[in-house]
Amino acid sequence: MRTVADDAASAEFHAFFERHYAELARLAHLLTGERDSADDLAADALLALWHRWDRVRAAEHPVAYARGVVANLARTRVRSAVRERRRIALFWSQREERAENPDVPGVVDVQEALRGLPFRKRACVVLRHAFDLSEKDTALALGVSVGTVKSQTSKGMAELQRRLGGREAARTVHAAIARTGSTAEGTG
């Protein structure tokens, strides 16, 4: 059952929406650089404001509050887009490096050992040793903490060393994975 207070709040929000929607959409566009998603971002912000309308309308500067919500949503969207682009670039980049006289059996052994690792360990090992990413860049690419990268890389390398029969895993993995781009197509 709606009350007069509910109707007043609804009318007040509707007026706020009409007055500030275009400005918030423009802000979203300028912050994200994405014209197509700016309207969606502004709508998401206004929906969040509606859910907290009592708090927003009691604020000293409701428009500033709304701008803050848009900025936070835009930052989240930009960060997500950057992480996704980095993941795509890292996992799907074509390596131009070609190895002369590759150790095909070594590459096959390492690939097989890597496939036996759980995904996170495998991803940490590959990004750290094949792509020479820092712990920080690996964490950013995978969306995990630096501590997780450290522990998963260490555990993954220990497991690879065990699987590869005690050979010097880091050097073997690094060399074999670096050659994977040139030999993977030929080894199936």
Side-chain angles (χ1 to χ4, degrees), residues 72-91:
N72 286 334
L73 289 172
R75 180 176 47 242
T76 300
R77 184 163 295 184
V78 167
R79 284 180 177 168
S80 294
V82 167
R83 278 193 305 270
E84 186 63 23
R85 286 182 190 124
R86 284 184 179 157
R87 286 181 186 131
I88 290 169
L90 288 172
F91 289 113

Side-chain angles (χ1 to χ4, degrees), residues 14-15 17 21 30 73 80-81 84 91 123 141-142 152 158:
H14 183 73
F17 180 96
Y21 176 77
L30 292 172
L73 289 172
S80 294
E84 186 63 23
F91 289 113
L142 297 175
Q152 293 296 296

Side-chain angles (χ1 to χ4, degrees), residues 170-184:
R171 188 176 53 90
T172 304
V173 169
H174 184 83
I177 295 174
R179 291 188 197 108
T180 299
S182 62
T183 61

Side-chain angles (χ1 to χ4, degrees), residues 62-123:
V63 176
Y65 189 97
R67 289 181 189 133
V69 171
V70 169
N72 286 334
L73 289 172
R75 180 176 47 242
T76 300
R77 184 163 295 184
V78 167
R79 284 180 177 168
S80 294
V82 167
R83 278 193 305 270
E84 186 63 23
R85 286 182 190 124
R86 284 184 179 157
R87 286 181 186 131
I88 290 169
L90 288 172
F91 289 113
W92 297 109
S93 66
Q94 295 295 322
R95 296 185 57 94
E96 294 298 323
E97 301 171 14
R98 298 287 178 197
E100 296 202 20
N101 302 322
D103 177 13
V104 175
V107 171
V108 171
D109 289 347
V110 170
Q111 287 176 340
E112 187 176 317
L114 280 169
R115 278 192 293 274
L117 293 178
F119 176 79
R120 188 174 286 174
K121 286 181 188 174
R122 181 174 56 233

Side-chain angles (χ1 to χ4, degrees), residues 8 10 13 20 22 30 32 36 50 66 70 74 80 85 90 92 96 117 124 130 132 143 147 153 167-168 173 183 187:
S10 180
F13 177 78
H20 299 290
L30 292 172
T32 63
D36 296 338
W50 171 245
V70 169
S80 294
R85 286 182 190 124
L90 288 172
W92 297 109
E96 294 298 323
L117 293 178
C124 288
D132 293 321
T153 302
R167 288 187 268 169
E168 189 180 325
V173 169
T183 61
T187 60

Side-chain angles (χ1 to χ4, degrees), residues 2 6 15 17-18 23-24 27 37-38 46 51 56 61 90 94 100 118 124-125 142 148 162 166 171 175-176 185 188:
R2 294 184 60 126
D6 290 340
F17 180 96
E18 292 295 324
E23 172 194 350
L24 295 174
L27 174 62
S37 65
L46 284 161
H51 289 297
V56 174
H61 301 286
L90 288 172
Q94 295 295 322
E100 296 202 20
C124 288
V125 168
L142 297 175
T148 298
R162 184 184 53 74
R171 188 176 53 90
E185 298 84 18

